[in-house]
């Protein structure tokens, strides 16, 4: 059984409120869970003390039992000092321009520099 520490949405329409829960990975987002271990209220300002509440002892217990945090919850845990900070890659290499496009961009930049140099002279 794979355990996840994840967000479960509650609150009314356009007024979200999330419970941080321990749940089986196969159960639905707002469905059955094992234990509530915190809450997240995105409607509060980011510096407000009640925006993210965590029960540190219970979260530490579940992490030792092998529970995996989702990306958003992992951020909360890292800010609280309960887990390591997750590193996000800023730009994947796959989306970088290919070799010919880079050559064209370099040629265009060189041409632009030459035109500016002639305009100054």
């Amino acid at each position: 059984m794979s355990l996840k520490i994840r967000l479960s949405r509650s609150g009314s329409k356009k007024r979200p409120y999330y419970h941080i829960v321990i749940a089986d990975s196969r159960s639905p987002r707002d469905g059955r869970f094992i234990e509530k271990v915190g809450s997240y209220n995105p409607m509060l300002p980011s510096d407000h003390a009640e925006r993210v509440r965590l029960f540190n002892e219970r979260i530490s217990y579940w992490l030792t039992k092998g529970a995996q945090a989702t990306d958003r919850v992992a951020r909360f845990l890292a800010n609280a000092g309960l887990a390591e900070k997750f590193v996000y890659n800023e730009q994947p290499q796959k989306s970088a321009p290919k070799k010919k496009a880079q050559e064209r961009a370099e040629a265009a930049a060189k041409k632009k520099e030459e035109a500016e140099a002639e305009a100054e002279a």
Side-chain angles (χ1 to χ4, degrees):
M1 180 167 84
S2 176
L3 294 176
K4 292 280 187 181
I5 304 175
R6 64 182 182 200
L7 298 173
S8 175
R9 186 183 163 123
S10 58
S12 59
K13 181 178 174 182
K14 300 196 182 207
R15 304 281 299 167
Y17 185 85
Y18 297 93
H19 294 284
I20 300 172
V21 298
I22 308 294
D24 183 6
S25 63
R26 297 168 293 183
S27 64
R29 179 191 72 180
D30 300 334
R32 189 173 64 185
F33 60 90
I34 299 169
E35 182 180 356
K36 287 183 186 176
V37 292
S39 63
Y40 168 55
N41 187 354
M43 300 302 289
L44 295 175
S46 60
D47 59 345
H48 197 277
E50 295 293 312
R51 184 175 169 104
V52 177
R53 291 187 308 150
L54 301 170
F55 303 141
N56 296 344
E57 295 170 4
R58 296 306 296 165
I59 292 172
S60 299
Y61 168 79
W62 285 109
L63 287 172
T64 59
K65 293 290 182 183
Q68 298 287 319
T70 57
D71 291 343
R72 177 59 57 179
V73 174
R75 249 188 219 180
F76 296 152
L77 297 181
N79 290 340
L82 294 172
E84 297 176 11
K85 192 139 186 121
F86 187 75
V87 178
Y88 292 96
N89 294 333
E90 291 299 319
Q91 182 177 7
Q93 295 297 324
K94 190 173 184 178
S95 65
K98 303 300 183 236
K99 187 175 180 180
K100 284 188 176 181
Q102 289 177 352
E103 290 172 359
R104 277 188 240 119
E106 289 174 10
K110 189 174 182 181
K111 197 176 214 182
K112 185 177 180 182
E113 288 176 9
E114 291 174 356
E116 289 176 355
E118 289 178 10
E120 289 178 3

